[in-house]
């Protein structure tokens, strides 16, 4: 009987099988590693979420009403995380906290407290370059352009104050048309060939996805009035003489005050009125990025931005803004739109460190270039 010879695969076949087997083993190993990593990440997120909910529960249900109110107001002042205020609190409880922590209206402002120097006395335009730099409330206008930018450093927040010595240089910029897409602060500055600016009033945002081109309330840009309706909201604007008016007014009031440029930020609040802080006893607000504007007795305009939601700067409360404005000599000052809108642009770049991409906005307070 003939014995069948045992088949011996060729060396090339052995190598192909070994290669295929090794590839499958590596793929299975890679899939296993990926699954373990994804499982670890998912578990970590779940644990962080549970821990976060636990922390929130302690904040809102714990023994400290101040911590509870601070947390609730911080969440309410954000566009994306406002829902978190309602996780452990009812709508009625949140509404009560919000009502309790609403600033009171300021008294009627006294414009006689602002005395703007006559033309040629404000700023340092035309100053001899060999002369010492001009002092300004303890600060130095290094390049003599009438603008000083000073870094603001507080315990829990950092920001910048832009001081514009001549209020006639400050005006409200807007997109070509309201109702469409807005412009970033940089875009506004480029459109108007302005040296710098900050974000301005409030706007319709449609749940955080708006185009930023539709302002809320009365808006005045270079003497032209928009959204003239009968409502009375917190309005911030400059008259023809360069005096900053802040407080609750409608279009009729603005016309009577000869407002040339201004914006609405529905609830403000007014921070400083007639040289005194607005009574905010017991008022607790969240810590968030903030923007504010004010004016000194000599007419100089104070434009403030505070970064927030960052490790190096948690953000500011209204009380923080008030304290800073008073430190810089504000006679009148008011809060503007903040959060992810907060931005300051000057001489070709953003000054502050925003945690988000610059937003499209319907209004900005801009500063004309020297001599423009």
């Amino acid at each position: 009987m003939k014995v069948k010879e045992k088949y011996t695969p060729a060396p090339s076949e052995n190598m192909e099988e070994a290669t295929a087997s090794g590839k499958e083993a590596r793929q299975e190993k890679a899939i296993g590693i990926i699954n373990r990593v994804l499982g670890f990440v998912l578990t970590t997120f779940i644990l962080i979420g549970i821990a976060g909910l636990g922390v929130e529960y302690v904040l809102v249900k714990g023994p400290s009403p101040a911590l509870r109110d601070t947390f609730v107001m911080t969440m309410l002042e954000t566009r994306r995380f406002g829902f978190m205020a309602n996780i452990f609190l009812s709508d009625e409880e949140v509404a009560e906290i919000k009502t309790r922590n609403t600033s009171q209206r300021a008294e009627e402002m006294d414009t006689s407290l602002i005395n703007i120097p006559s033309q040629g006395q404000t700023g340092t335009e035309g100053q001899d370059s060999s002369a010492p730099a001009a002092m300004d409330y303890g600060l130095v206008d290094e390049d003599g352009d009438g603008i000083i930018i000073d870094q603001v450093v507080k315990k829990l927040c950092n920001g910048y104050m832009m001081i514009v010595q001549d209020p006639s240089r400050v005006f409200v910029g807007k997109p070509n048309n309201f109702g469409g897409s807005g412009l970033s602060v940089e875009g506004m500055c480029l459109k108007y060939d302005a040296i710098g600016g900050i974000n301005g009033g409030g706007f319709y945002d449609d749940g955080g996805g708006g185009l930023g081109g539709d302002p809320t309330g009365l808006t005045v840009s270079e003497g032209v009035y928009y959204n003239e309706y009968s409502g009375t909201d917190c309005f911030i604007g400059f008259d023809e003489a360069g005096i900053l008016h802040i407080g609750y007014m409608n279009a009729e009031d603005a016309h009577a005050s000869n407002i040339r440029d201004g914006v609405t930020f529905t609830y403000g609040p007014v921070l400083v009125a007639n040289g005194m802080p607005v009574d905010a006893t017991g008022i607790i607000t969240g810590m968030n990025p903030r923007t504010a504007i004010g004016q000194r007795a000599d007419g100089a305009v104070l434009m403030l931005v505070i970064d927030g939601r960052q490790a190096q700067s948690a953000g500011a409360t209204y009380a923080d803004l008030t304290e800073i404005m008073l430190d810089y000599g504000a006679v009148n000052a008011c809060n503007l739109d903040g959060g992810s809108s907060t931005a300051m642009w000057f001489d070709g770049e953003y000054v502050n460190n925003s945690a988000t991409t610059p937003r499209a906005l319907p209004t900005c307070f801009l500063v004309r270039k020297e001599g423009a």
Side-chain angles (χ1 to χ4, degrees):
M1 182 176 71
K2 186 175 180 181
V3 179
K4 187 176 181 180
E5 294 181 0
K6 184 178 180 181
Y7 172 73
T8 303
S12 61
E13 294 179 352
N14 284 331
M15 290 179 64
E16 289 177 359
E17 291 178 0
T19 300
S21 177
K23 184 181 294 184
E24 291 177 358
R26 288 193 296 272
Q27 288 176 344
E28 291 178 359
K29 184 176 180 181
I31 291 173
I33 293 174
I34 292 172
N35 286 336
R36 287 195 293 273
V37 171
L38 290 176
F40 173 78
V41 171
L42 180 60
T43 301
T44 301
F45 274 118
I46 292 174
L47 291 175
I48 291 175
I50 293 174
L53 289 173
V55 171
E56 180 180 345
Y57 183 84
V58 171
L59 288 174
V60 301
K61 295 294 185 179
S64 174
L67 285 176
R68 177 198 61 205
D69 289 7
T70 299
F71 173 79
V72 170
M73 294 304 294
T74 298
M75 294 300 103
L76 289 176
E77 290 167 355
T78 65
R79 289 183 171 88
R80 294 183 176 85
F81 300 104
F83 70 92
M84 294 186 67
N86 291 93
I87 292 180
F88 295 114
L89 296 173
S90 66
D91 290 340
E92 291 75 16
E93 289 173 314
V94 171
E96 181 184 350
I97 293 172
K98 186 176 180 180
T99 301
R100 185 169 60 251
N101 291 290
T102 299
S103 177
Q104 301 298 313
R105 295 190 179 191
E107 61 180 291
E108 186 174 347
M109 62 175 293
D110 181 2
T111 57
S112 68
L113 297 176
I114 308 297
N115 296 291
I116 301 173
S118 59
Q119 189 69 27
Q121 291 181 309
T122 301
T124 56
E125 186 175 351
Q127 177 180 318
D128 184 353
S129 59
S130 63
M135 292 294 293
D136 181 292
Y137 277 66
L139 301 173
V140 178
D141 182 7
E142 297 285 357
D143 53 9
D145 65 350
I147 298 174
I148 297 173
I149 296 182
D150 191 40
Q151 186 173 13
V152 177
V153 179
K154 289 290 183 180
K155 185 175 181 181
L156 295 175
C157 62
N158 299 320
Y160 293 89
M161 179 72 81
M162 183 190 299
I163 303 164
V164 184
Q165 295 169 335
D166 181 359
S168 68
R169 295 174 65 179
V170 180
F171 68 103
V172 170
K174 57 177 284 293
N176 290 332
N177 297 292
F178 286 137
S181 297
L183 295 171
S184 65
V185 179
E186 176 185 4
M188 292 275 195
C189 289
L190 294 177
K191 176 191 172 186
Y192 287 91
D193 193 29
I195 189 64
I198 58 174
N199 60 292
F203 56 96
Y204 295 103
D205 196 31
D206 298 329
L211 298 176
D214 195 5
T216 57
L218 176 65
T219 302
V220 186
S221 177
E222 298 183 300
V224 181
Y225 283 59
Y226 304 88
N227 294 345
E228 292 190 70
Y229 64 100
S230 59
T232 301
D233 294 312
C234 188
F235 183 80
I236 308 99
F238 292 89
D239 65 19
E240 294 289 351
I243 295 176
L244 177 65
H245 293 247
I246 56 174
Y248 289 79
M249 65 176 70
N250 54 32
E252 183 179 354
D253 299 325
H255 278 293
S257 298
N258 295 317
I259 298 298
R260 62 164 170 79
D261 289 277
V263 302
T264 295
F265 193 52
T266 306
Y267 302 109
V270 174
L271 305 169
V272 182
N274 301 326
M276 299 296 293
V278 175
D279 184 14
T281 304
I283 302 298
I284 295 177
T285 56
M287 299 184 67
N288 280 301
R290 304 283 186 187
T291 305
I293 191 167
Q295 188 171 42
R296 296 188 319 214
D298 63 351
V301 180
L302 306 174
M303 304 168 77
L304 173 67
V305 294
I306 297 293
D307 289 326
R309 303 169 191 167
Q310 303 172 41
Q312 68 274 20
S313 182
T317 64
Y318 295 150
D320 293 328
L321 296 184
T322 300
E323 180 182 340
I324 294 169
M325 280 294 184
L326 289 172
D327 287 345
Y328 282 84
V331 172
N332 297 299
C334 191
N335 180 60
L336 295 172
D337 190 19
S340 54
S341 298
T342 291
M344 177 184 287
W345 195 86
F346 182 76
D347 198 19
E349 63 183 357
Y350 281 102
V351 177
N352 66 310
N353 180 30
S354 175
T356 61
T357 302
R359 299 200 67 181
L361 308 165
T363 58
C364 292
F365 278 105
L366 304 179
V367 183
R368 291 186 176 88
K369 290 181 177 178
E370 190 174 15

